[in-house]
Amino acid sequence: MRIAVFGTGGVGGYFGGRLALAGEDVVFIARGAHLQAMRAGGLRVESPKGNFTVPSVQATDDPAQVGPMDAVLVAVKAWQVGEAAQAILPMVGPETCVVPLQNGLEAPAQVSAVLGPQHVLGGTCVISSAIAAPGRIRHLGLEPSVTFGALDHHPSPRAERLREAFMRAEVTAVIPTDIQVAIWEKFMAIRFGPVGAVARAPVGVLRSVPETRQMVEQACVETLTVARARGIPLAEDSPAKTMAAVDAIAPGIIASLQRDITAGRPSELEALTGALVRLGAEVGVETPLHAFVYQSLLPQELRARGIKYPE
């Protein structure tokens, strides 16, 4: 299967590397030193599941050179999705499917607005990973998996072909009955990330300290309330199931949102926290925990993006 990976960071590098190692025809869209390192020495992945190297990779910073693909995995940060969708246009043919893998709620709609909904599958993934050095990805934890499916809930032969490619790559791939439910469930599953960004603590501490555990629980309940108000049929017990899953995560795991904020980099604060405040307000649902986190972290986020206010 001919697959483009747009954004070769921790997510795109790991999943694209697995697909390439399994013999799929993978093209990596990357830039800068990371691109140069991959062209010179391939892609190396360090993982608790076993290190591996793809010694020769197809990599470019110009999607126009690639041509139409069978599938495009969008693995950029959430705030880059709109720009990425425009750049992906030259890679989209009549049968191309595009799968956003971001940790938010709005990426499928943003990509659909540019490429047309007929090309877009809803998607999400599970992994903790990052670029360790140019040309090198480090899988930090969590069992990697991808979930995707047609936004209209109808069976999709394109999704099934992509699922089979992931299975050949020994990556768990799931096509759920309702991809929108799956996206909201994943959003709930990472509610420890915004809390960790405020508390500056890994998940093991967040779930052990009663006060921060209560914050994570409240974030899950707010997510459930907004989802249901917007017609997404999340199960009533999904917050309890989420907390059980959080209790099973390796204690040292730190969400990417927290890593970026701690490092002073632009983060996915808007997509992972501000978006729920906004989506809740649209249907008359208050989200005080998310509003507190968003408002607390916004000054630092603006500073990371070079937006200055008088001191």
Side-chain angles (χ1 to χ4, degrees), residues 206-221:
L206 298 176
R207 68 194 182 206
S208 300
V209 176
E211 290 81 359
T212 50
R213 185 180 184 89
Q214 183 178 10
M215 291 176 72
V216 179
E217 290 171 343
Q218 182 179 341
C220 292
V221 171

Side-chain angles (χ1 to χ4, degrees), residues 54-161:
V54 184
S56 179
V57 301
Q58 301 177 72
T60 180
D61 58 1
D62 184 4
Q65 295 180 353
V66 173
M69 308 297 290
D70 296 319
V72 181
L73 305 180
V74 186
V76 297
K77 292 291 188 179
W79 75 85
Q80 300 169 318
V81 167
E83 181 182 351
Q86 292 287 344
I88 286 166
L89 277 167
M91 299 190 291
V92 176
E95 299 301 320
T96 304
C97 64
V98 180
V99 187
L101 294 175
Q102 283 68 35
N103 281 331
L105 300 168
E106 300 170 301
Q110 293 170 339
V111 177
S112 294
V114 177
L115 304 179
Q118 71 275 17
H119 289 295
V120 181
L121 301 177
T124 186
C125 67
V126 174
I127 191 171
S128 178
S129 55
I131 296 176
R136 182 157 56 95
I137 303 297
R138 180 171 296 142
H139 171 204
L140 301 169
L142 304 180
E143 180 64 26
S145 68
V146 291
T147 301
F148 46 83
L151 296 171
D152 61 7
H153 313 317
H154 291 155
S156 169
R158 294 182 298 182
E160 181 57 34
R161 288 196 297 272

Side-chain angles (χ1 to χ4, degrees), residues 103-105 181-194 216-228 234-243 245-246 272 276 290:
N103 281 331
L105 300 168
V181 168
I183 289 171
W184 278 82
E185 287 176 340
K186 169 60 189 301
F187 187 84
M188 185 183 293
I190 57 173
R191 291 306 81 200
F192 69 88
V216 179
E217 290 171 343
Q218 182 179 341
C220 292
V221 171
E222 289 182 2
T223 301
L224 173 65
T225 306
V226 173
R228 289 196 152 195
L234 286 188
E236 188 69 33
D237 64 350
S238 54
K241 288 183 175 179
T242 295
M243 292 307 300
V246 168
L272 299 188
L276 195 78
H290 283 85

Side-chain angles (χ1 to χ4, degrees), residues 285-304:
V285 175
E286 294 186 356
T287 51
L289 187 283
H290 283 85
F292 163 74
V293 171
Y294 180 69
Q295 293 161 5
S296 297
L297 296 175
L298 185 58
Q300 181 172 326
E301 180 69 19
L302 295 174
R303 185 164 57 249

